[in-house]
Amino acid sequence: MTDNRIPDSLDSLWTTCHLATLRAGEDGYGVLNNGALAVKDKKIVWIGPESNLPEGIRRRTPTVHNLGGAWVTPGLIDCHTHLVYAGNRTGEFERRLNGATYEEITRHGGGIMSTVNAVRAADEEDLYMQSVLRLKAMQAEGVTTLEIKSGYGLDPESEMKMLRVIHRLGRDFPVNVMPTFLGAHALPPEYRDDPDGYIDLIVDKMLPAVASGGLAVAVDAFCERIAFSPAQTERVLRAAVSLGFKVKLHAEQLSDLKGAALAAQYGALSADHLEYLDKDGIAAMARNHVTAVLLPGAFYFLQETKKPPVNHLRAAGVRMAVSTDCNPGSSPCTSPLLMMNMACMLFGLTPVEALRGITIHAAHALGMEDKAGSLEPGKRADFAIWDISEPAELSYGMGGNPCRLVVKDGEIVIRREDPYTTGRDDVVL
Ligand SMILES: [Zn+2]
C-alpha cells in the first residue's frame, strides 16, 4: 500500500461502513470493518478504521457521508464487452427455441451478419442511443470502468463509426471506457472468398487509421475455426503490437487452436473465453502474466458443456477475471452481478474469486491495475456502496440489485432511491 497518511484537508469522507478493499498482496476480500475512506482530488487518499480518524477532520471536510453500515467495494470493471451494437437477435432466439436449425436461422438473415447489417445501416446517433441504455444498466450495478469493442462494422467506415460512439459514451457518462478495435471479429461478406485479403485490409489500412486517430487503446481478434486462423490472428497481433496497441484475444472458445499461447507470445493483457484451453496454454499464460477472462454468460446462452479449466488456472496462479461479454448473439447481458453468480455456479469460482474477477483482476485485464480495481490510496475514487450483509452476497443473488450508490472520481453518480435507503435521519446519503 502506498502512503496512507490522512491529509489535513479532504474533499469528502465516507464513514460508518465496511469495506472490501481487494487490495494487493491479499487473496481475500481485504475486509475492513467499521472503516472510513477519504477522498481528495478524485483519488482515494486514506483508508482505515474509523476510530483512527484524526480529531476535527469531520468538521474540516466539506462533505461527510455516513453510510449507515453499508458495504463499500471498488467500482466494478467489465473488461470484455461488445456493448455498442444496433438491433438485437430476439427473433433468432425465438426461432431457435421453436426448433429452427442453425441453417434455417442463417437463411432468415440471423447470426452475426444480422448485427453487422444493423450496425452498418444505423446512423451514429442511433447506434449511440441504443448503446446508452445498456451502459446505464451496467452503471446501476456499480460499473465504473468498462471495455467496449468494435467488431460489428467490419469495413473501415463502420468500424470507425463504432469507435467514435465508444469514445462518446466515455465522454458523456461518468465511466472510464477503454476502446478496443476488433476488426478481426468475423469475415465480412465482401471477403467471403478472400479472408487473407480482409486481414490485409486490417493490417494495411484499418489499424494505421485507428492508431493515427487515437481511436483505440487495445486490439482484439477472434481466433476460431468460424473466424480467423492462428496465422491470420498472428498477423493482426504483430501489426497491432508494432503500432503500440495493447493486445488481447478471443481464444479457445469453441476449439483448441492454441490462441492463448499465441496471445501470451505477443504480451497480451488477456485471453478470453478459454473453454478449450489446454495445459500448455495455461503454462504460457502463467509465464507471461496473461489474465484469463471468463465469460459465463456466453457459456450459458450457447448452452455449452465444456467448461474453462478453472482448477488448473487457479493451480497455475493465472489471474481470473469475470465479465459480461455483453453482445446480442451469445450474451445479451448487462448484469455483472449475474455474471458473478454464474461464474460461481457454472465454473466453480468462489465468491471472493468472482469479486476479484470483476474488480482487481478485471483491472489487470485492461492494464489499469495501478489506477482502478481496489480500494487503496492513490487509486481513483471509484467505488460502489451496497446494502448487503457480507461481500459474498454479491455472488449469491440471482437478479435483484443491492447497489445503493455509485461513486466515480469521488462524486455520487448513481443514487438508488427507496427501498434501499435506511430511513435513518442521521444517515446522510
Ligand atoms: Zn467477446
Side-chain angles (χ1 to χ4, degrees), residues 25-356:
E26 285 191 18
D27 288 333
Y29 294 109
V31 167
L32 175 60
N33 286 117
N34 303 311
L37 185 152
V39 173
K40 188 176 173 61
D41 297 333
K42 303 181 179 181
K43 292 209 164 93
I44 298 169
V45 290
W46 180 85
I47 190 164
E50 188 166 351
S51 55
N52 287 3
L53 280 173
E55 196 75 19
I57 191 80
R58 279 186 175 80
R59 250 190 352 275
R60 295 200 303 275
T61 302
T63 314
V64 179
H65 301 269
N66 177 333
L67 297 174
W71 277 84
V72 184
T73 68
L76 304 189
I77 299 176
D78 198 345
C79 66
H80 179 138
T81 88
H82 309 253
L83 176 137
V84 168
Y85 60 84
N88 65 55
R89 308 254 279 276
T90 308
E92 169 183 332
F93 172 72
E94 189 161 24
R95 275 195 289 278
R96 174 155 67 108
L97 286 165
N98 277 292
T101 63
Y102 182 76
E103 283 70 27
E104 286 163 342
I105 287 168
T106 310
R107 234 189 359 261
H108 277 89
I112 190 170
M113 282 312 144
S114 69
T115 302
V116 172
N117 291 334
V119 165
R120 286 178 174 182
D123 68 28
E124 205 162 314
E125 187 66 19
D126 189 20
L127 190 57
Y128 171 82
M129 289 310 296
Q130 293 192 43
S131 305
V132 161
L133 296 175
R134 292 184 281 272
L135 181 71
K136 286 188 161 187
M138 286 195 177
Q139 286 185 293
E141 285 196 13
V143 169
T144 53
T145 298
L146 81 163
E147 186 248 21
I148 309 178
K149 304 172 194 294
S150 71
Y152 293 121
L154 309 183
D155 64 41
E157 192 190 326
S158 307
E159 285 291 308
M160 300 304 150
K161 177 172 71 179
M162 287 191 74
L163 289 169
R164 286 194 300 273
V165 168
I166 293 167
H167 274 261
R168 188 174 157 199
L169 291 169
R171 281 197 307 274
D172 290 357
F173 289 87
V175 62
N176 279 98
V177 172
M178 173 157 149
T180 295
F181 173 67
L182 178 59
H185 191 193
L187 192 61
E190 306 81 55
Y191 285 87
R192 188 172 296 131
D193 302 319
D194 185 18
D196 289 317
Y198 183 57
I199 298 296
D200 291 341
L201 178 70
I202 290 175
V203 168
D204 299 336
K205 298 243 167 57
M206 292 163 89
L207 276 174
V210 173
S212 67
L215 285 168
V217 172
V219 170
D220 193 351
F222 189 15
C223 183
E224 195 55 70
R225 289 204 193 101
I226 59 165
F228 297 97
S229 71
Q232 290 162 343
T233 301
E234 183 166 10
R235 288 187 58 205
V236 174
L237 296 183
R238 190 187 303 124
V241 167
S242 75
L243 287 166
F245 289 107
K246 296 172 177 176
V247 295
K248 42 189 38 243
L249 192 64
H250 286 67
E252 273 79 274
Q253 181 185 6
L254 306 169
S255 63
D256 181 13
L257 295 188
K258 317 293 178 199
L262 179 64
Q265 192 188 321
Y266 281 87
L269 291 171
S270 69
D272 304 28
H273 287 289
L274 303 174
E275 277 80 349
Y276 286 79
L277 180 65
D278 72 358
K279 65 179 191 323
D280 293 340
I282 294 170
M285 289 179 70
R287 256 195 323 275
N288 293 280
H289 308 290
V290 181
T291 299
V293 178
L294 307 178
L295 304 166
F299 173 89
Y300 163 81
F301 198 79
L302 295 175
Q303 297 178 294
E304 295 288 344
T305 52
K306 180 139 173 77
K307 301 182 183 196
V310 162
N311 287 341
H312 296 293
L313 287 165
R314 186 187 287 132
V318 176
R319 274 186 223 99
M320 293 181 281
V322 174
S323 170
T324 62
D325 194 14
C326 172
N327 79 78
S330 64
S331 190
C333 173
T334 53
S335 173
L337 294 176
L338 183 59
M339 293 304 99
M340 290 172 68
N341 177 272
M342 285 191 182
C344 293
M345 297 314 299
L346 299 176
F347 292 166
L349 265 64
T350 63
V352 69
E353 286 175 329
L355 185 55
R356 294 186 81 79

